[in-house]
Amino acid sequence: MYWYVCWVFLAPAFMVFIFVFYFVRYSPITMGAYHYPAWGEVLGFAISLSSMLWVPGYAIYYLLSTKGSWSEVLRQGVTPVIKPRMEAVMAEEKARLTCQDVRDVEMNIEADLSDDSCDSYDSKRCLGEDL
C-alpha cells in the first residue's frame, strides 16, 4: 500500500509542485551584468520539457486509447503487471528449502544456495517439521 500511495499520489504531486513553483518563482537568467538572450532560455525550457512531457503525454494517450470506462482504464493503468523471471522464482523456492533469507533472491540469483546451514532460522521451523 505504501508504494501504491507513493507512486500514484505523492510522486506526481511533488513533481507538479516543483514544476509550478519553478514557473511562479521564475526570473530571467543572468551572469553578473550579462542577460542571456530569450532564445537561449527558450532552448533550455525546450530541452527540459523534452524529457518531462513524455510521462503526462503517455498518460493522456493511455487514457484516450484504452477501451473501457474511465474508472476501468484508470484502475488498469495503475495496476502493476510485473511477472517475476523463472530464475528468480526458482531461486526463491530453493532459498526457502535451504532455510536462507528470501528477501533479496533477485539480487543473489548467482549465489550458492546449496548451503544447508540455517544460521538465521531454526531448521525444524524452516523446513516445516513438527517441533
Side-chain angles (χ1 to χ4, degrees), residues 94-100 112-124 126-127:
K94 199 177 222 183
R96 272 199 191 103
L97 292 175
T98 59
C99 304
Q100 292 186 1
D112 180 21
L113 299 176
S114 62
D115 183 17
D116 289 329
S117 66
C118 294
D119 296 335
S120 61
Y121 298 99
D122 177 47
S123 63
K124 290 184 179 184
C126 179
L127 296 174

Side-chain angles (χ1 to χ4, degrees), residues 48-110:
S48 296
L49 288 174
S50 71
S51 64
M52 291 186 283
L53 287 180
W54 290 103
V55 174
Y58 181 75
I60 292 168
Y61 164 77
Y62 184 84
L63 289 172
L64 296 176
S65 66
T66 306
K67 291 181 168 68
S69 68
W70 286 102
S71 62
E72 291 171 346
V73 171
L74 189 59
R75 186 178 303 117
Q76 181 181 353
V78 297
T79 302
V81 290
I82 298 171
K83 295 179 182 169
R85 296 180 303 127
M86 184 52 74
E87 295 87 8
V89 173
M90 290 172 38
E92 184 176 348
E93 190 61 32
K94 199 177 222 183
R96 272 199 191 103
L97 292 175
T98 59
C99 304
Q100 292 186 1
D101 191 5
V102 295
R103 287 178 289 178
D104 197 10
V105 296
E106 189 68 30
M107 298 302 292
N108 296 317
I109 247 177
E110 301 299 325

